[in-house]
Amino acid sequence: MQAKTTLQKIKEVLTRGVEKIIEKESLLKKLKSGKKLRVKLGIDPTAPDLHLGNAVVLWKLKEFQDLGHTIILIIGDFTARIGDPSGRFSLRKMLSEKEIKENMKAYELQIGKILNLKKTKIIYNSRHLSNLRFSEMYRLLHFFSVNQILERDIFRKRRELKKPIWLNEFFYPIFQAYDSVIVKADIEVGGSDQLFNMLIGRQLQPHFGQPPQDIITVRILVGTDGKQKMSKSFNNYIGINESAKEQFGKLMSIKDEAISEYFELCTRLPMTEIKRDISLLKTDKINPRDLKAKLAREIVFLYHGKEAALMAEEEFNRIFKEKKLPSEMTEVKIKERFLNILDLLTKTRLVNSKSEAKRLISQKAVRIDGVLKEDWREMIEIEKGTTVKIGKRKFAKINPH
């Protein structure tokens, strides 16, 4: 019975959320052998927050960890200085060492919500990359051609658009490949946009007397807009560190077409249960809103616990079903008795600028004391308990002083 359970887990590791496997037969043989494998993931700390899209690959690592394999997390504090060119039409901004260190601290806390950090080897690649001698660097470069690097999709697109390709960007996949050599990776896991980088690692290892790593790419999670991949750049993300209420509200806003994908990539529910629910959805035997509520509960539970998930759902229903104000709102004290609406909105800090406030008013997204506001020139009288609502989920209570 135990052997059957292990085989079922192996099958799930190789199928759930997986885009591509290289080489599948080799990987399956390794997993069935019972050998403890070294499974690598590289993450560059380019921003302080991780989102559900980043978490997809972390949950795949968790599946390997639960099977008893060694997880090796490469924190790219050196490669972050270059920036991965994947999907980029321009050079990434170079981060300072201070920014990278601050981001690294935040990463470990967030990753710890998914992986057992006590059983995870965390390696900072500055330890081996910053000490590379020129002779060693020359040896690495000797194994690759300019033609090969230029074949990368993003570089081909830049050449077609006559956009620059910076020399330091050529080094990025080679450094990532060298990470695999250093940790003697048996498997590398990453998003499907990382396939080129991981193949370079597979190519490099035999030159150092190592068998080439097998590769698993996971599917890219679509953002809350239902169009582009989840990214902070597109403002369509759901952060791992966001509050339970914010996570729940954003998950209830995803497109119906994305429900199945979110269940598979972002929850730990069995695939049999997910397929059953999606079948009910397709035959109109379950309401999309009810299924999204289940999805939101499951995801919030993973990052905040059961009680927080239930409270977040209760608060969501209070606002959107019962049309009541939130039980708790940010309180803002304002000295002025009268304020232009743009000044008022910026003082609440619900918007970042007057131009953003003006845009939201034009989009009919601003209500004060429940009244829709359409004139950005309007003067607002400040009274105790005045409420400001922007969009569906941003609220503030104003108190004069």
Side-chain angles (χ1 to χ4, degrees), residues 55-242:
V56 174
V57 69
L58 293 172
W59 285 113
K60 183 56 61 181
L61 290 183
K62 181 67 164 63
E63 292 172 17
F64 277 106
Q65 192 170 65
D66 289 345
L67 283 170
H69 300 294
T70 301
I71 303 304
I72 303 174
L73 198 59
I74 302 284
I75 304 293
D77 56 331
F78 185 90
T79 42
R81 299 173 198 173
I82 301 172
D84 184 3
S86 298
R88 303 283 299 193
F89 284 96
S90 60
L91 184 68
R92 286 183 183 268
K93 173 194 167 190
M94 287 191 71
L95 299 178
S96 68
E97 285 192 31
K98 182 181 178 183
E99 288 175 308
I100 291 170
K101 285 179 180 177
E102 287 175 354
N103 292 346
M104 287 190 308
K105 291 178 186 176
Y107 269 33
E108 287 193 30
L109 290 172
Q110 293 168 82
I111 290 167
K113 293 185 176 185
I114 299 172
L115 293 174
N116 182 341
L117 292 182
K118 291 180 180 178
K119 295 182 179 180
T120 302
K121 291 187 177 181
I122 298 177
I123 295 173
Y124 296 91
N125 65 10
S126 62
R127 293 177 187 172
H128 51 267
L129 291 175
S130 60
N131 295 321
L132 272 177
R133 294 192 298 272
F134 186 80
S135 59
E136 293 170 316
M137 190 68 210
Y138 178 81
R139 183 188 179 199
L140 288 178
L141 297 177
H142 179 71
F143 300 124
F144 305 97
S145 69
V146 171
N147 311 63
Q148 179 183 5
I149 303 298
L150 285 175
E151 279 301 303
R152 190 173 192 178
D153 286 349
I154 190 61
F155 290 158
R156 283 209 312 269
K157 289 174 184 175
R158 284 204 213 166
R159 290 176 72 192
E160 290 167 6
L161 296 170
K162 296 187 173 10
K163 290 184 176 289
I165 301 169
W166 301 96
L167 193 57
N168 61 341
E169 294 180 296
F170 274 33
F171 289 79
Y172 187 91
I174 298 171
F175 285 149
Q176 183 173 326
Y178 191 57
D179 288 342
S180 292
V181 170
I182 290 295
V183 301
K184 298 179 181 177
D186 295 303
I187 305 166
E188 183 166 11
V189 182
S192 56
D193 57 345
Q194 291 294 307
L195 180 59
F196 181 90
N197 294 339
M198 294 191 283
L199 286 170
I200 294 291
R202 181 177 166 82
Q203 179 183 338
L204 183 62
Q205 283 177 299
H207 293 292
F208 287 81
Q210 298 176 18
Q213 63 187 11
D214 295 317
I215 294 169
I216 295 181
T217 64
V218 296
R219 300 207 305 272
I220 301 294
L221 182 69
V222 69
T224 53
D225 58 358
K227 297 176 182 177
Q228 303 185 84
K229 74 173 186 177
M230 184 172 286
S231 169
K232 295 196 77 173
S233 302
F234 301 137
N235 196 31
N236 64 357
Y237 69 97
I238 301 171
I240 288 176
N241 260 357
E242 287 185 311

Side-chain angles (χ1 to χ4, degrees), residues 13 46 77 145 229 276 288 302 346 348 400:
V13 166
T46 52
D77 56 331
S145 69
K229 74 173 186 177
R276 181 202 67 200
L302 288 174
T346 53
T348 65

